Amino acid sequence: MIDPVPFYTASVPLAFFVWGPVLVMVLFWAVGIWSSRQGVPRMLENDWNGFNVADVEKLFALYGETHRARYRNRVLPADVACAFTYAIVGAILIAGLAMRGQPLWLAALCGGGWLLGGLADVAENLAVARLLDKYPKVEAGDVAFASRVTQLKLVLFLAGTAGAIGAAYLVFKPLAA
């Protein structure tokens, strides 16, 4: 006898496991385009090796007053919106997998990267905003915090991307069987 396909709750539709991650990637790409159009390359937010006071002072001096204002008032709010979006997508991935009978640890492994990464991204943007507000007096403690949170965010975003692929596999696997 053929086993029937298990009934899944409609609280988190199956399509979310495809379109949620697609939304995150499109927003990630769109914020990069928006940043480029504002004339503000996001050098600090993409630095895997971390940055120091000299890097921040050099970059902010290179931006000039108008580009620092654009970075603070236009680019950072867009990045915060993207960060909240992928944190929410990560939380919904966790909930959706848990509702479909996956162990909570596995659901957290799949969606936790984006959930925690989004929160780290918000903290990073607040730290960079603080650096921009205090410029030209940049303090080493503020820079160190922003640098570490940036590195954490990058690792968690990458883990979240792999987790979203894993989540899609987990929810579509029973349907393919």
Side-chain angles (χ1 to χ4, degrees), residues 128-150:
V128 170
R130 181 177 169 98
L131 292 174
L132 285 163
D133 291 343
K134 287 185 167 186
Y135 183 80
K137 186 180 185 303
V138 179
E139 296 178 14
D142 293 338
V143 172
F145 177 76
S147 178
R148 294 296 169 248
V149 173
T150 297

Side-chain angles (χ1 to χ4, degrees), residues 63-173:
Y63 282 168
E65 186 65 34
T66 58
H67 286 91
R68 280 194 310 272
R70 285 183 185 172
Y71 189 28
R72 172 71 170 86
N73 299 321
R74 294 181 183 176
V75 175
L76 287 179
D79 196 25
V80 167
C82 179
F84 275 128
T85 302
Y86 74 82
I88 290 168
V89 168
I92 294 173
L93 287 175
I94 293 170
L97 285 171
M99 286 180 196
R100 284 171 168 74
Q102 297 296 334
L104 188 57
W105 66 269
L106 185 60
L109 197 60
C110 290
W114 275 353
L115 174 61
L116 296 176
L119 298 176
D121 198 352
V122 170
E124 173 209 28
N125 288 319
L126 293 173
V128 170
R130 181 177 169 98
L131 292 174
L132 285 163
D133 291 343
K134 287 185 167 186
Y135 183 80
K137 186 180 185 303
V138 179
E139 296 178 14
D142 293 338
V143 172
F145 177 76
S147 178
R148 294 296 169 248
V149 173
T150 297
Q151 290 173 320
L152 179 64
K153 170 206 67 166
L154 292 170
V155 169
L156 289 171
F157 186 83
L158 188 61
T161 303
I165 293 168
Y169 171 77
L170 289 171
V171 298
F172 286 107
K173 181 179 146 187

